[in-house]
């Protein structure tokens, strides 16, 4: 299974070989795990990579329901889905983005940003649809009190835990992709910032048993990011198309306000009213005043930093726009040459002879002899 057409062969296990064949290597590793399901001896180990672990059966009035909690074995499952994400990343790059970018004839800088936005559009769109489905089916939208009631939320449903594992796998896979995609050194710090920001918030919500609140916040954040990267793709296709940027700018500030309000409501007020306020990591309870203040400080600091970057970039764009407008006004207008009036004889010329309007040659005037 080859993802890229190669015209040059590289030494085995060299740097260039790994970069150009990393998706094929990942596919081989995934295939080995899937083959392990076919044999009874290795099936148990293969399931450790594929399925979420730490399942518990909880009896209900009708029947038993299966819930999950987290543990160290989740790292093995995340590792498997990191390779799955690397393969999907290569498929999107090879069969969608590369074909579009060839038609646009972009520069190297724009080509790098186009690939970044293209990958994130696919990820954010799928995550928004998936997250919205989970939030609706779990009933978190219809019952906002469930975000903090019965804390700690140690036991998760299959779809909630699988969603978090896939989210962690995607953002962890983004770290080696900086090397595989040969991202420019100037772009690496910026991309590392938002990758680490997502990892800290997603892992924090998962490990601190705030998975319900984390789902709502991710739904809001991913919706805004999807709109931004769609606007960038349309801009690369047509530089005069900036309408989506205006829509994103309006949604961005509203999203920051909703995230801050929801975090303060759930953590600052909701968890503060829960009776069980004891620090007990074994039972997954982190509902104490220092922990709540630390969570709120992290969320507020992240939102303030994002808002500051947004305001800074908007001011820079406005400054560049007004500088361009001022430069256009300062350019002197080209002087217009006055139109020269040419006096012509009545009629028209044909072969150097003046013809009358009726087509006959005018008579020459005879000079009287003295």
């Amino acid at each position: 299974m080859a993802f890229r057409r190669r015209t040059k062969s590289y030494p085995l296990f060299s740097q260039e070989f790994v970069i150009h064949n990393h998706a094929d290597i990942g596919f081989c590793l995934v295939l080995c795990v899937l083959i392990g399901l076919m044999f009874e001896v290795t099936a148990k180990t293969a399931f450790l990579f594929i399925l979420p672990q730490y399942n518990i059966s909880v009896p209900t009035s009708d029947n038993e329901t299966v819930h999950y909690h987290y543990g160290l074995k989740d790292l093995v499952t995340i590792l498997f889905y990191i390779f799955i994400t690397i393969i999907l990343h290569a498929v999107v790059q090879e069969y969608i983005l590369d074909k579009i970018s060839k038609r646009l004839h972009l520069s190297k800088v724009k080509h790098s940003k186009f690939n970044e936005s293209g990958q994130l559009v696919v990820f954010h769109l799928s995550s928004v649809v998936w997250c919205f489905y989970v939030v609706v089916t779990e009933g978190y939208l219809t019952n906002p009190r469930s975000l903090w009631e019965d804390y700690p939320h140690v036991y998760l449903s299959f779809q909630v835990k699988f969603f978090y594992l896939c989210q962690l796998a995607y953002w962890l896979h983004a770290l080696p992709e900086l090397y595989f995609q040969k991202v420019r050194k100037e772009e690496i710090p910026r991309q590392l910032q938002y990758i680490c920001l997502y990892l800290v918030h997603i892992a924090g919500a998962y490990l601190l048993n705030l998975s319900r609140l984390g789902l709502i916040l991710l739904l809001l954040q991913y919706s805004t990011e999807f709109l931004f990267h769609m606007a960038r793709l349309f801009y690369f296709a047509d530089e005069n198309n900036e309408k989506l940027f205006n829509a994103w700018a309006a949604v961005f500030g509203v999203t920051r306000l909703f995230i801050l309000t929801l975090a303060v409501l759930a953590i600052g007020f909701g968890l503060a009213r829960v009776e069980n306020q004891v620090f007990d990591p074994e039972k997954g309870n982190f509902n104490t005043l220092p922990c709540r203040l630390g969570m709120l400080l992290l969320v507020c600091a992240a939102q303030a930093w994002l808002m500051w970057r947004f305001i800074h970039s908007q001011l820079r764009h406005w400054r560049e726009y007004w500088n361009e407008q001022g430069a256009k006004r300062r350019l002197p207008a080209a002087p217009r040459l006055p139109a020269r009036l040419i006096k012509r004889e009545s009629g028209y010329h044909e072969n150097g002879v003046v013809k009358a309007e009726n087509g006959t040659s005018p008579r020459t005037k005879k000079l009287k002899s003295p």
Side-chain angles (χ1 to χ4, degrees):
M1 180 178 180
F3 288 104
R4 296 181 182 274
R5 297 176 182 176
R6 302 173 188 87
T7 57
K8 183 179 178 181
S9 60
Y10 300 97
L12 191 64
F13 297 117
S14 63
Q15 182 179 3
E16 292 296 327
F17 177 85
V18 173
I19 290 175
H20 286 79
N21 298 275
H22 68 277
D24 296 331
I25 295 172
F27 179 77
C28 292
L29 295 175
V30 170
L31 193 60
C32 291
V33 175
L34 296 178
I35 292 175
L37 295 173
M38 301 172 61
F39 304 97
E40 187 177 356
V41 179
T42 57
K44 188 176 181 180
T45 305
F47 278 119
L48 184 65
F49 285 89
I50 298 173
L51 295 178
Q53 304 300 309
Y54 304 104
N55 56 323
I56 296 176
S57 298
V58 179
T60 60
S61 58
D62 299 333
N63 51 12
E64 291 184 350
T65 58
V66 179
H67 293 279
Y68 297 82
H69 61 91
Y70 62 80
L72 291 177
K73 292 181 181 179
D74 290 341
L75 297 176
V76 180
T77 309
I78 291 173
L79 179 63
F80 176 78
Y81 285 100
I82 285 176
F83 289 112
I84 294 290
T85 312
I86 289 175
I87 296 171
L88 295 177
H89 186 112
V91 170
V92 172
Q93 184 67 41
E94 176 71 17
Y95 295 103
I96 299 177
L97 298 180
D98 286 349
K99 293 183 178 180
I100 297 175
S101 61
K102 286 179 181 179
R103 297 181 180 181
L104 297 178
H105 304 289
L106 301 172
S107 62
K108 289 184 178 180
V109 176
K110 289 185 177 181
H111 186 267
S112 176
K113 293 183 178 181
F114 177 84
N115 289 336
E116 177 193 358
S117 293
Q119 293 286 347
L120 289 175
V121 159
V122 175
F123 169 71
H124 287 313
L125 178 60
S126 57
S127 295
V128 165
V129 175
W130 189 6
C131 188
F132 183 75
Y133 174 78
V134 173
V135 167
V136 171
T137 53
E138 294 292 330
Y140 300 151
L141 286 180
T142 57
N143 185 18
R145 289 180 177 272
S146 62
L147 299 180
W148 60 81
E149 286 182 346
D150 301 327
Y151 181 85
H153 307 138
V154 179
Y155 300 113
L156 309 174
S157 62
F158 173 82
Q159 60 180 356
V160 173
K161 178 167 183 175
F162 190 61
F163 176 82
Y164 271 96
L165 294 180
C166 291
Q167 291 295 313
L168 291 171
Y170 180 86
W171 291 112
L172 285 172
H173 114 279
L175 295 173
E177 283 294 341
L178 298 177
Y179 170 73
F180 293 143
Q181 297 296 325
K182 296 182 178 180
V183 177
R184 298 184 306 118
K185 293 182 179 179
E186 297 81 3
E187 292 289 326
I188 290 179
R190 180 186 61 82
Q191 295 193 27
L192 279 177
Q193 286 176 356
Y194 72 76
I195 291 173
C196 295
L197 197 63
Y198 276 115
L199 283 174
V200 169
H201 282 75
I202 295 173
Y206 184 64
L207 297 176
L208 297 177
N209 297 312
L210 292 170
S211 56
R212 301 178 183 180
L213 177 62
L215 285 172
I216 303 295
L217 298 185
L218 280 177
L219 180 61
L220 294 172
Q221 177 65 22
Y222 283 165
S223 301
T224 307
E225 289 298 304
F226 169 74
L227 189 60
F228 169 72
H229 290 289
M230 277 297 295
R232 270 218 304 194
L233 291 181
F234 277 104
Y235 175 76
F236 290 140
D238 182 8
E239 293 186 356
N240 296 323
N241 193 346
E242 297 184 357
K243 294 181 180 179
L244 276 180
F245 278 117
N246 298 329
W248 166 75
V251 173
F252 185 87
V254 177
T255 304
R256 304 282 77 76
L257 181 61
F258 270 106
I259 289 176
L260 285 174
T261 304
L262 195 58
V264 172
L265 179 64
I267 300 174
F269 294 97
L271 292 181
R273 296 180 180 181
V274 176
E275 295 181 358
N276 190 9
Q277 298 191 17
V278 180
F279 183 76
D280 191 356
E282 293 183 359
K283 295 183 178 180
N285 191 354
F286 302 93
N287 189 15
T288 58
L289 181 60
C291 290
R292 291 198 302 269
L293 290 177
M295 297 174 198
L296 282 176
L297 181 62
L298 178 62
V299 174
C300 293
Q303 299 307 311
W305 179 71
L306 290 174
M307 198 66 192
W308 178 82
R309 286 190 58 188
F310 170 75
I311 294 173
H312 180 72
S313 64
Q314 290 296 110
L315 291 176
R316 179 168 54 84
H317 287 309
W318 287 342
R319 194 181 304 115
E320 292 176 355
Y321 173 76
W322 289 114
N323 288 339
E324 290 179 1
Q325 295 297 321
K328 290 180 180 179
R329 292 175 183 175
R330 286 193 297 268
L331 288 176
R336 293 184 178 180
L337 296 176
R340 297 178 62 184
L341 297 175
I342 302 175
K343 188 176 180 180
R344 300 195 176 198
E345 299 182 52
S346 59
Y348 63 95
H349 290 73
E350 182 176 319
N351 296 328
V353 179
V354 180
K355 296 285 187 179
E357 293 181 359
N358 57 4
T360 59
S361 300
R363 293 183 179 178
T364 57
K365 199 171 185 180
K366 295 182 179 181
L367 296 177
K368 294 182 180 180
S369 57

